[in-house]
Amino acid sequence: MNIITKDTDIYEVTFIGAGPVALYGMYYSGLRRTRSKVIDMLGEVGGGLMALYPEKYIYDVGGFPKVLAKDLVRDLKAQANQYDHSYCLEEKVLGVEKMPDGILKLTTPKGEHLSRSIVVCAGMGAYIPKRIDIPNVQELEGAGVFYFVRRLKDFAGKKILVVGGGDSAFDYSMMLEPVAESITHIHRNDFFAAHEDSVQKVMNSSVRMKFPFWEVKQIEGDDWVRKVTIVQSQTGETETLDIDAIIFNIGFITNMGPIEEWGLEIDKNSIKVDSRMRTNIDGIFAAGDVVTYEGKLKLISTGFGEVAVAVNNAKSYIDPKAKVNPGHSTEKHEMTLRKIAREKKKAEIQQNEE
């Protein structure tokens, strides 16, 4: 039984979700001298990057030709930790209530959190991979059937089948190609939902591409995957492959969980926001993959910009005298660090005098 406790310390900004967008938001809130905390149901920061594919390369973040997901998370955390923030991990926010004084109360199984504003950075919510309906798939999950690649070494020297036509499927083929014995990559459509450059790089590699209209027909194995039969659905042509691992990446079913019950305006499993990243509830902002607006692109790079907009507007919401546009980040960063140093020195002098 959980003992419900109440943290009476009121933070200025509370981030829900500790993925890359929230980590950057925590850094930015430090620039604006707002005390922030982050609440996440996972046991570590990084969101889907760490939970699903820590060793996958990320290609669309400014300043990095490519960067491993786990390294990006490490650097984002180091950037955020220049300032004093609180991390509340392995906590799931069940509900949000606005108190009569305007303070927002967040309830989790572990207790209550009070905040003057909230920035929801919950990504796509819970990821449930789509599964194909053929025999042996569920029985062999984890025994050769996979939906994510967490560690490259688990696939070293393996004969691999990659299934899917999106960015993650092509990223998996690119990241595994240097370590695998062989890779066959199939796709059932005559178009790809991936960046053109990623498709071209896989096409130019040793990966054997088979498309369009190729699907998995049968999987054979006892305690591990041994063979897979694939079929060209238009012609009926089949091919049986000796295989060590199958990586399915044919999409996900997302679930926003309790967020759907908070009274936020939801459109197609996403939170509607305006140009200031404001939701329909005063004091609650949102950024990253969880939001939708006209022209929305679900990229980490756009999420960084959105959360900066959210934090600046949260600052103005908390303190109407504060400017939404704070000026250049370099000047602001240096001024903030100097102010922190002065406050620390002043506290040390006071402590010595006492």
Side-chain angles (χ1 to χ4, degrees), residues 73-85:
V73 170
R74 178 200 63 206
D75 291 347
L76 284 167
K77 186 176 180 182
Q79 185 182 37
N81 285 350
Q82 294 176 94
Y83 305 103
D84 186 21
H85 304 295

Side-chain angles (χ1 to χ4, degrees), residues 32 34 43 91 120 135-136 151 175 180 191 207 229 242 258 283 311 328 335 347:
R32 295 307 310 263
T34 59
E91 284 196 64
V120 183
N136 289 341
R151 297 180 301 182
M175 68 186 279
F191 61 89
V207 174
T229 299
D242 291 324
V311 169
H328 296 296
M335 290 173 60

Side-chain angles (χ1 to χ4, degrees), residues 239-300:
E239 182 178 343
T240 299
L241 310 171
D242 291 324
I243 218 78
D244 300 307
I246 305 172
I247 302 167
F248 287 103
N249 204 274
I250 55 176
F252 298 93
I253 300 169
T254 56
N255 183 354
M256 296 181 68
I259 293 176
E260 295 180 346
E261 309 301 323
W262 296 355
L264 297 169
E265 189 174 355
I266 305 293
D267 180 23
K268 296 179 181 177
N269 215 41
S270 299
I271 299 171
K272 292 190 71 173
V273 295
D274 63 12
S275 62
R276 297 185 181 185
M277 298 298 116
R278 299 178 297 188
T279 70
N280 60 303
I281 299 178
D282 287 343
I284 300 182
F285 302 80
D289 284 353
V290 77
V291 308
T292 186
Y293 52 83
E294 186 176 356
K296 166 68 180 176
L297 287 174
K298 294 192 175 185
L299 300 172
I300 294 175

Side-chain angles (χ1 to χ4, degrees), residues 52 124 126-132 146-148 163-169 172 187-189 193 247-254:
L52 305 181
M124 297 289 289
Y127 290 81
I128 304 170
K130 291 182 179 178
R131 292 170 167 84
I132 63 172
F146 301 95
Y147 300 94
F148 312 108
V163 183
D167 270 316
S168 290
Y172 284 147
H187 183 43
R188 64 182 178 180
N189 292 323
I247 302 167
F248 287 103
N249 204 274
I250 55 176
F252 298 93
I253 300 169
T254 56

